[in-house]
Amino acid sequence: METETVIKAVDLTKKFGNFTAVDNISFEVNKGEIFGFLGANGAGKTTAMRMLCGLSKPTSGVANIAGFDVYTETEKIKSHIGYMSQKFSLYEDLTIAENINFFGGIYGLSDKELKEQSNSLIEKLDLSKNANKLVGELPLGWKQKLAFSVAIIHKPSIVFLDEPTGGVDPITRRQFWDMIYDAAESGITIFITTHYMDEAEYCNRVSMMVDGKIAALDSPSNLKEQYGAATMDDVFYYLARQAKRS
Amino acid sequence: MRPLKFLLKKEFKQIFRNKALLPMIFVMPLLQLLVMPLAADYEVKNINISIVDNDQSSYSKELTSKILASGYFQLSGYTHSFKESFKLIESDQADLILEIPHNFEKNLSRNGFEKLFIAVNAINGTKAGLGGSYLNSIISDFNQSISIKASKNTPDLEFKSIDIASLNWYNPYMNYKIFMVPALLAIIVTMIGVYMCGLNIVKEKEIGTIEQINVSPIKKHHYILGKLIPFWIIGIVVFTIGFFGISWLVYGIVPLGNLFLLYAYLGLFLVALLGFGLLISTYSETQQQAMSVSFFFMMIFILMSGLFTSIDAMPDWAQKIAYINPVTYFIEVIRMVVLKGSGLVNITKHIFIMIGFAILFNTWAIINYRKTT
C-alpha cells in the first residue's frame, strides 16, 4: 500500500477560554486508509474534526489536510474534503434528486457529471422510486446513506464522518460500511468517529481520545494485544475510565 | 457564478414549498395595507360635548346648533350647571364642556364682548387638542357672523378683520390616507427586508444545514447573494402588488412622479435593508434571537421614520435617530415621488445616503459571516 500522507497534525490544540478541548494531538493518516477516531462523549473528537475540516481555527499547532494548511488555506481544504456532520444536514424540504443536484452543483460538478452522478447514486442507493420524495420523509438509515453519498459526490481525497451511524439499525449499518469500503477502495481516505466498537474493528487504524489527548493509536489488533483485551470494547473501557474530566 | 445558480434554485424551491411562509409574505402585508389606513386615521370625529347653557337665549341656541351642525361633535349632555356636566366627564361620557354664561346675549350686544368657558378632558391629548381647536374655530366663526350683523345695525362701528385664504397643495382635501398609504407600503417592504432574509439564514444555522455549506468551497458572497436575490425579488413583487393593486386601485392614489425612479430607489432600499437583516442573522444563533433583535429595530424604524409623526416636531436627539434610520429616507422618497412628483434632482441626497447604508450593512454582514470560526 502506498504511504502518501493526507492528514498530518502536529501538536494541534484548541482552547475555548480556559478549557482545552483538544490538547496537543499529533498523528498522520495515509491515503486510502480508514481511520477510526474514537473517544467518549466530550473527549474532543468533534472539535478536532472541525479543525481538520477548516470549520474551526486551531489555537496552536500545525495541520495539513490534503497538502493544505488549516490556518491559511481553509477554502482549498474545503474543495478537497467531504464532511458529514453529527447532525443530519441535507435539506429536508428538498427531494433526494434536488439535494444531490444542489450539493453536486456547489462543488462545481458540470451538468453532465451531475446527471451521471445523480443517476448512478440513486440507482446504487435503490432510491429510484423515491427520487422525488422529500428527504424529510425518509427513514433515518436512508438519510444517512444519502448524506454519505452526497458527502463524496465530488470525489474528495478525504471524507470526514462524525458518528454517521448513530441510531441506525444493524442491517443499514452493515450496508453503510459496505459503502465506506467502496469509497476507500476508490482512493478516498475515511476519517470516522463512532461509538460502536464493532465498527472500530473495521478500521485500518484507530486512535483513542481521552480528555482532549490521544491516549492510544494503532491498528485494532495491535491495540487489543497491547492492552491484553479480547475486544475493542475492553480497550475502550480501559482507556476511557482514565478520563479525569467528564 | 455557477454556484449561485444552484443556490438560487434551491432557495426558490424552498420558499415556494413552504406553506406557512407564502401567505406570510404575500397575503399578510396586503391585508395590513387594506386595513391599517382605515384604522390609523388622525381625523378626530364624534367628540362628545356637554353644553351648559345658562343663558337659554337665541344666541346661545344658535351657537349650540352651529357646533352640532359641524359634524365633529356629539351632544352627550345639555345641562343646567357645570357640576352636572362635569359628572359626564368623570364617567367618560363627555370629552368637552362648553359653558355659556348668564346674560350671554345681553352682554354681547351691550358690551360687545363676552367670555365663554371650555373645559377639556385632556387624557387623550390629540382628541382634546383637536376638539378644543375645532370648538375655537366654530366660536370665532360664530363671533364673526354676529359682528357682521352688529356692524350692519350700527354702521358707525367699523368692522375690520384679516381674512386668510389658504390652498392645500398635493393633498387638497387633506385626506389622511393619501399621506399614509405610500408610507405603509414602505413599512411593509421594510418588514420583508428585515425579517424574511435574516430569519432564513438563522434557520439554516438552527437546523445545521449551514455547517454543510460552510464546509464546502462555496464563496461567502455567493452564499449571501443566493439569500439576498430571492428576497429582493419578493420585496419588489409585494411592493408592486401593493402599489398598483391597493394604493392605486383601492385608494385611488395615482403616482405623479417617475415610476422608474421610484422602483430604482426601492431596489436600492431593499439591498440596504436585506443587508441589515443579514447583519442581524450573522450575530444570532437562533431564530428567537434574530426575531427579538429584528423586532426591536423594527419598532425604531417605524416610530422614528416620520411615518406617523413629523420628524421636524421631534426633539433634537430623536431627529438624529430619525436621520440614521434608512426607512426615513424611503418614506420621504415615496411620498415625494408619488404625491409631489419629485424628480431625480430632488432626491439625489436620498440616493447617496441609501447607497451608503447599502454598502455599510452588506460589507459588515459579509465580514461578520464566518465560514471558519
Side-chain angles (χ1 to χ4, degrees):
Chain A
M1 200 166 170
E2 50 183 326
T3 51
E4 190 188 329
T5 308
V6 288
I7 301 177
K8 187 186 166 111
V10 182
D11 296 333
L12 199 61
T13 301
K14 179 79 183 186
K15 289 181 181 168
F16 297 107
N18 288 328
F19 177 72
T20 309
V22 175
D23 193 356
N24 281 293
I25 59 169
S26 303
F27 62 94
E28 286 181 5
V29 179
N30 298 324
K31 187 174 160 53
E33 201 174 8
I34 300 177
F35 189 84
F37 204 56
L38 311 186
N41 291 326
K45 300 187 305 288
T46 299
T47 309
M49 192 181 253
R50 286 174 55 87
M51 283 193 282
L52 300 176
C53 291
L55 282 173
S56 167
K57 276 225 158 42
T59 310
S60 63
V62 179
N64 262 280
I65 312 299
F68 301 109
D69 181 64
V70 287
Y71 292 94
T72 54
E73 298 171 306
T74 51
E75 294 309 295
K76 279 188 185 144
I77 290 176
K78 286 171 185 174
S79 57
H80 286 87
I81 61 164
Y83 174 70
M84 185 178 161
S85 78
Q86 216 166 19
K87 212 166 161 187
F88 178 73
S89 49
L90 297 185
Y91 290 97
E92 303 218 340
D93 49 357
L94 294 182
T95 66
I96 295 168
E98 285 164 351
N99 266 294
I100 295 172
N101 236 287
F102 171 69
F103 283 103
I106 63 170
Y107 277 99
L109 266 59
S110 72
D111 286 334
K112 194 170 150 254
E113 285 174 302
L114 267 179
K115 209 171 174 189
E116 282 170 12
Q117 284 278 359
S118 127
N119 285 342
S120 76
L121 221 160
I122 288 171
E123 203 176 312
K124 207 166 76 187
L125 293 173
D126 202 16
L127 286 171
S128 31
K129 275 186 211 138
N130 298 307
N132 292 317
K133 225 181 189 178
L134 295 184
V135 164
E137 296 164 8
L138 296 178
L140 181 70
W142 292 22
K143 281 186 184 173
Q144 295 304 85
K145 286 196 283 182
L146 179 65
F148 176 67
S149 309
V150 169
I152 56 168
I153 194 166
H154 54 296
K155 304 205 170 72
S157 26
I158 310 156
V159 64
F160 291 90
L161 308 171
D162 196 358
E163 291 182 32
T165 52
V168 172
D169 69 73
I171 299 171
T172 314
R173 265 173 57 201
R174 197 56 211 238
Q175 294 167 343
F176 196 92
W177 273 90
D178 285 341
M179 292 171 70
I180 289 179
Y181 275 116
D182 281 348
E185 207 123 290
S186 73
I188 298 176
T189 307
I190 313 284
F191 189 98
I192 182 170
T193 74
T194 180
H195 287 303
Y196 297 108
M197 288 307 126
D198 57 328
E199 291 185 353
E201 307 262 8
Y202 300 149
C203 298
N204 299 126
R205 283 194 303 152
V206 298
S207 75
M208 175 73 192
M209 262 187 106
V210 180
D211 289 350
K213 295 189 177 76
I214 290 183
L217 197 172
D218 214 328
S219 66
S221 52
N222 285 351
L223 281 178
K224 281 184 282 190
E225 202 179 293
Q226 188 184 337
Y227 292 98
T231 61
M232 276 306 289
D233 246 358
D234 296 336
V235 176
F236 186 90
Y237 276 125
Y238 176 78
L239 288 168
R241 279 211 181 119
Q242 297 171 350
K244 288 184 185 67
R245 76 183 191 208
S246 58
Chain B
M1 276 298 124
R2 198 173 143 78
L4 187 57
K5 186 186 104 183
F6 287 97
L7 283 165
L8 289 176
K9 229 161 81 181
K10 156 197 163 266
E11 216 58 58
F12 275 114
K13 273 186 192 140
Q14 287 183 307
I15 291 168
F16 283 100
R17 217 162 262 176
N18 191 329
K19 294 282 176 295
L21 193 65
L22 269 189
M24 272 270 285
I25 294 177
F26 291 104
V27 181
M28 259 175 50
L30 300 176
L31 269 182
Q32 280 172 349
L33 199 55
L34 272 175
V35 175
M36 280 259 282
L38 300 175
D41 190 332
Y42 274 163
E43 237 186 311
V44 175
K45 283 179 189 149
N46 304 329
I47 303 163
N48 296 312
I49 188 168
S50 175
I51 296 175
V52 188
D53 190 352
N54 294 318
D55 197 37
Q56 301 283 353
S57 63
S58 67
Y59 267 16
S60 75
K61 297 244 163 73
E62 199 183 323
L63 180 59
T64 306
S65 66
K66 214 173 164 78
I67 289 165
L68 297 180
S70 71
Y72 292 112
F73 297 99
Q74 264 184 344
L75 190 67
S76 64
Y78 190 77
T79 61
H80 296 287
S81 71
F82 186 79
K83 222 173 162 183
E84 275 177 74
S85 280
F86 200 75
K87 273 191 188 135
L88 292 175
I89 284 206
E90 281 179 327
S91 63
D92 247 358
Q93 284 172 281
D95 304 306
L96 260 175
I97 300 172
L98 170 70
E99 189 174 15
I100 302 171
H102 287 291
N103 304 326
F104 172 65
E105 184 171 342
K106 211 156 129 200
N107 288 343
L108 205 55
S109 344
R110 189 185 298 157
N111 306 335
F113 72 89
E114 178 57 291
K115 278 183 181 163
L116 286 171
F117 179 68
I118 300 174
V120 186
N121 171 11
I123 289 179
N124 181 342
T126 317
K127 205 171 182 181
L130 282 171
S133 67
Y134 287 158
L135 198 54
N136 266 319
S137 76
I138 292 168
I139 292 168
S140 75
D141 200 38
F142 172 76
N143 196 10
Q144 213 168 21
S145 71
I146 57 171
S147 312
I148 294 166
K149 272 188 210 159
S151 67
K152 274 179 193 153
N153 296 342
T154 47
D156 52 315
L157 261 171
E158 222 176 300
F159 177 68
K160 287 186 189 120
S161 85
I162 299 170
D163 194 23
I164 302 165
S166 64
L167 189 57
N168 299 320
W169 277 86
Y170 308 122
N171 185 2
Y173 303 108
M174 293 207 279
N175 184 343
Y176 187 67
K177 291 176 193 84
I178 289 183
F179 177 69
M180 282 309 286
V181 170
L184 281 174
L185 209 48
I187 294 295
I188 284 163
V189 174
T190 306
M191 290 209 266
I192 290 174
V194 174
Y195 286 123
M196 298 293 170
C197 184
L199 281 184
N200 186 293
I201 291 183
V202 183
K203 186 180 159 207
E204 288 219 29
K205 276 192 190 177
E206 262 183 7
I207 58 178
T209 47
I210 203 160
E211 187 107 318
Q212 209 62 46
I213 297 286
N214 288 344
V215 81
S216 80
I218 207 159
K219 301 262 188 304
K220 276 205 277 186
H221 64 269
H222 280 160
Y223 181 69
I224 283 186
L225 276 176
K227 290 287 179 192
L228 275 183
I229 294 171
F231 291 99
W232 189 85
I233 294 173
I234 286 171
I236 302 262
V237 170
V238 170
F239 180 86
T240 306
I241 299 172
F243 190 69
F244 292 99
I246 294 181
S247 170
W248 198 330
L249 281 181
V250 177
Y251 293 106
I253 300 171
V254 181
L256 297 177
N258 186 337
L259 282 183
F260 179 75
L261 184 67
L262 184 64
Y263 268 84
Y265 201 81
L266 168 69
L268 186 58
F269 173 72
L270 271 169
V271 173
L273 255 286
L274 287 166
F276 185 77
L278 280 172
L279 184 59
I280 292 178
S281 77
T282 60
Y283 281 104
S284 316
E285 289 307 317
T286 62
Q287 293 189 71
Q288 199 179 19
Q289 279 174 12
M291 200 71 190
S292 317
V293 176
S294 304
F295 188 74
F296 170 75
F297 281 106
M298 208 56 214
M299 290 303 280
I300 295 177
F301 283 170
I302 292 177
L303 293 177
M304 310 213 85
S305 61
L307 170 67
F308 296 115
T309 48
S310 162
I311 293 172
D312 300 323
M314 293 177 184
D316 267 356
W317 61 268
Q319 286 194 21
K320 286 196 182 98
I321 296 176
Y323 285 115
I324 51 167
N325 174 359
V327 182
T328 304
Y329 297 94
F330 187 47
I331 288 185
E332 275 184 20
V333 166
I334 194 172
R335 279 179 178 155
M336 283 165 83
V337 175
V338 173
L339 305 178
K340 279 167 76 178
S342 304
L344 185 60
V345 213
N346 309 101
I347 62 164
T348 316
K349 183 190 89 183
H350 296 76
I351 291 173
F352 280 112
I353 290 172
M354 198 55 75
I355 290 175
F357 278 125
I359 293 173
L360 173 74
F361 291 144
N362 286 289
T363 317
W364 190 351
I366 291 179
I367 291 173
N368 201 50
Y369 168 45
R370 291 204 174 82
K371 286 181 71 186
T372 303
T373 50

